[in-house]
Amino acid sequence: MKMALLGLLLPTALVGCQATRYQPAADAGGFAELELTDDIWRIRFMGNAYTTRETARSYWLYRAAELTISKGYHGFEVLPQIGLAPSRGGALVIEGEIRMLKAPFEFVPPRTFNAESLKGALDPHVNGAKCDTRTTSGNICPHAQDYLLAKSGPKPASSRAETPPSSSGELKFKMGYSIREQADRRAAEPAAAPVGEPRPAPVVARPQAPPITAAVPALKRTGPCEVKPVMTDQDLVNCGARVR
């Protein structure tokens, strides 16, 4: 009888320890958002004392992705202001700002996210079965958070080369031409003109400086004037001539 009564009371006790559900903000907590500019929003999720951080963070990310899609954007960037906000009575509050982005852009979690991919990864945990413990219930079950790893972050469609097989079995690129068609197009293009060998630069002769001539000292008289059949410069100077 006591065991049966305990079995009836246990579910009732767990209801009082229920974690905050994913819901718009109410007395028991939930999510809320505020538009700061056209593409920047502040998002808050407040959980009660029985809500785990993993649950609150997952709900915050899920709301960010859900809001981004509803506004017509493809992804969002988590701005540095995200973190735990002041709370009262043991409540857990996560608040942060996001900048919504249009494709194409690179998705690098945990900074930037593809909204559709993130929402799809979190949906089974947000809307699926929850994990109960002896003291609480309604929290998201522990799981591998691959969506927070950069290596698992999807890249924009414009940066991926799509190669679906065609009806003829040939691989086609995103531009719509098959490998064979591309080879035919390249063959039909005129060949580029051959590039000639580079010519050496002409050698420009440097102008030569005029020769430096040694200055000849002026001759002075050394004796009397003597007229000779062949007179030297010194003889001419002795006779009063000027030698240039």
Side-chain angles (χ1 to χ4, degrees):
M1 183 64 180
K2 292 183 179 180
M3 294 299 296
L5 182 60
L6 181 61
L8 293 175
L9 293 178
L10 184 58
T12 304
L14 287 177
V15 170
C17 302
Q18 177 77 30
T20 301
R21 296 179 299 175
Y22 182 76
Q23 61 185 13
D27 294 338
F31 60 80
E33 59 272 341
L34 174 65
E35 183 178 8
L36 302 180
T37 63
D38 291 340
D39 58 352
I40 297 180
W41 288 73
R42 179 176 298 156
I43 301 175
R44 166 185 286 216
F45 181 84
M46 183 176 66
N48 59 24
Y50 306 107
T51 306
T52 63
R53 289 193 178 187
E54 182 177 6
T55 298
R57 181 177 58 189
S58 299
Y59 287 166
W60 188 94
L61 287 170
Y62 190 81
R63 181 53 186 167
E66 191 176 52
L67 182 64
T68 298
I69 296 172
S70 69
K71 298 301 177 181
Y73 290 83
H74 304 96
F76 64 91
E77 174 188 6
V78 179
L79 301 181
Q81 291 84 353
I82 186 173
L84 297 176
S87 59
R88 297 179 180 178
L92 179 63
V93 179
I94 292 183
E95 183 177 283
E97 298 174 3
I98 65 170
R99 176 184 288 111
M100 297 180 181
L101 305 172
K102 291 268 191 180
F105 66 94
E106 187 176 4
F107 309 128
V108 185
R111 185 66 183 272
T112 54
F113 292 91
N114 180 326
E116 287 284 357
S117 298
L118 180 62
K119 185 175 182 292
L122 285 172
D123 191 80
H125 308 290
V126 173
N127 299 313
K130 303 299 188 293
C131 286
D132 298 336
T133 65
R134 294 182 179 180
T135 57
T136 62
S137 64
N139 279 302
I140 288 181
C141 300
H143 59 279
Q145 300 176 4
D146 294 337
Y147 47 83
L148 295 178
L149 302 179
K151 64 181 180 180
S152 64
K155 294 184 178 180
S158 59
S159 66
R160 294 198 302 265
E162 299 177 0
T163 56
S166 67
S167 57
S168 60
E170 295 176 336
L171 296 179
K172 290 191 174 183
F173 292 100
K174 188 175 180 181
M175 65 179 65
Y177 299 110
S178 66
I179 296 177
R180 181 177 301 174
E181 291 171 348
Q182 291 187 33
D184 295 341
R185 288 169 62 88
R186 285 195 296 267
E189 294 178 356
V195 180
E197 296 183 358
R199 297 180 179 180
V203 178
V204 179
R206 295 182 179 180
Q208 297 182 354
I212 300 175
T213 57
V216 178
L219 298 177
K220 297 180 180 181
R221 289 186 178 186
T222 59
C225 176
E226 295 181 3
V227 179
K228 299 179 181 179
V230 179
M231 300 184 69
T232 64
D233 291 344
Q234 185 62 54
D235 295 335
L236 295 174
V237 170
N238 290 341
C239 293
R242 294 183 179 181
V243 180
R244 296 181 178 180

